[in-house]
Amino acid sequence: MGSGLLRVEYIQPGARSGALLRERQAQFGNVLICVGGGTGVEHLADLYQARHKPIIPLDLALGASRDDGIGGSERMSREARANPTPFLRVRPDMAEVSVALLVATATGNGSAAIQQVVNSLMQLLDAIDRPNAFYVRLLNTHMEEFPAVERFFREVVDPVVEKIGYRRLEMGTDPTDHGFVNIEIFERLHYSELAIVDVTGLRPNCFIELGYALGCGIPVIVTAKECTDLPFDQSAIPCHFWRVETDAKTSVQRLFVFIEKNIGRPPLVSP
């Protein structure tokens, strides 16, 4: 699954995590692997599906510690093999073999060779698409700050996003699916695992998207060109200030350290 900051959650029966903990797990985890379980595992899987995050349910009939739920991971495993779309998001080049990879993880309720299951599981994890990092930034080429912002994203942000294992989503640069850009912006932002918001130029649309990401509980990294005068409310959020004069290698390292330090911050409002 690449290097950096990706998180894989593994849930087994008897894990007594409450609803608030599961909300946090779903917010920061990238892939859920579940075994057995009851309502707790099913609730966590629902949270992952609501965020369009991958789920790999294994078919071991271990049951639930409290004898609750409607089948837990074993039931979800059957459903995933019948219809993998709600459970997996694989790389485009692996789409045609996603079902075969999922089927290969079957344990036969423990009868399959352990190494075979492990190898199949690792192949499936490798095929899963990277989580999305949505860019919010100045895109108006006529603005004075555009060349500096463009250089910062191409020379600094792109390499860092690649390093931590995320896939870039930038409107106007990457392929789009909708006829209406405004709809696609908020839909893609809503289901992204990370938002990188640069407020250089103090554009109103950037602040609207920043507020939306914060309200959705998406991990948000805020950046701005040095000397940007941040508005009052936004100035209370940690911000990485970058300099045009700093060489790319140093800028990449500084941004990586900032993200590593701030990506795990709790949402503004806990569920």
Side-chain angles (χ1 to χ4, degrees), residues 137-154 198-203 206 223-229 241-245:
R137 49 156 294 191
L138 174 67
L139 292 172
N140 188 338
T141 59
H142 299 294
M143 297 292 294
E144 180 182 353
E145 301 283 10
F146 177 81
V149 172
E150 176 68 9
R151 178 184 171 191
F152 173 65
F153 273 83
R154 297 292 79 85
D198 188 88
V199 296
T200 305
L202 305 178
R203 304 291 288 172
C206 291
T223 66
K225 182 182 174 184
E226 191 176 56
C227 297
T228 298
D229 187 15
F241 289 98
W242 49 272
R243 301 181 60 200
V244 174
E245 297 80 9

Side-chain angles (χ1 to χ4, degrees), residues 23-118:
E23 290 279 357
R24 291 280 286 164
Q25 290 172 325
Q27 180 188 6
F28 291 108
N30 297 116
V31 181
L32 173 64
I33 302 174
C34 46
V35 183
T39 55
V41 168
E42 291 163 357
H43 176 227
L44 185 57
D46 287 342
L47 294 173
Y48 266 71
Q49 283 190 327
R51 295 173 179 264
H52 290 192
K53 293 185 176 184
I55 303 169
I56 303 176
L58 300 181
D59 62 345
L60 288 169
L62 301 181
S65 60
R66 299 182 181 180
D67 295 322
D68 55 8
I70 54 174
S73 178
E74 188 183 14
R75 169 186 58 82
M76 289 188 285
S77 178
R78 293 193 301 269
E79 293 177 355
R81 290 196 297 270
N83 181 21
T85 302
F87 292 88
L88 295 178
R89 188 180 74 199
V90 298
R91 304 195 312 265
D93 62 301
M94 300 298 290
E96 294 184 1
V97 297
S98 60
V99 177
L101 290 172
L102 184 62
V103 170
T105 64
T107 70
N109 197 24
S111 62
I114 293 175
Q115 194 58 50
Q116 173 187 320
V117 175
V118 171

